[in-house]
Amino acid sequence: MVVGLLWFDNEPKRNLAEKVDRAAAYYAGKLGQAPDTCFVHPSAVPEGGQQCGAVRVKPDRGVQPNHFWIGVSKEGREK
């Protein structure tokens, strides 16, 4: 990911998909482009990742729990 936005959501009543959707909506509104990738702490996503709508969710040990590093992947920028 070249540019991303760090989003925090520790609301226990929301599931992963809802959290990613909220982060994606904020990203799109703020930066004018829909994100396609979101990195989260490995404890938040099944091994290998998950798809939440149009956003691929991938585990990354560098991301703290309840944080979402969301943006457009290098591949998405080339479209």
Side-chain angles (χ1 to χ4, degrees):
M1 192 166 6
V2 177
V3 176
L5 178 135
L6 188 62
W7 178 263
F8 177 78
D9 188 336
N10 68 343
E11 175 57 54
K13 294 180 182 177
R14 283 194 279 271
N15 63 34
L16 178 64
E18 291 170 324
K19 292 177 181 187
V20 171
D21 286 346
R22 287 171 47 93
Y26 183 82
Y27 182 95
K30 183 84 170 170
L31 300 173
Q33 182 177 9
D36 65 2
T37 305
C38 182
F39 294 99
V40 299
H41 189 268
S43 66
V45 66
E47 189 173 325
Q50 178 177 330
Q51 191 78 23
C52 291
V55 180
R56 287 185 312 270
V57 181
K58 299 180 179 182
D60 187 316
R61 290 179 181 247
V63 179
Q64 295 295 312
N66 300 314
H67 287 77
F68 301 81
W69 182 27
I70 191 161
V72 177
S73 67
K74 292 178 183 178
E75 295 81 26
R77 291 183 64 95
E78 295 170 0
K79 290 181 181 177

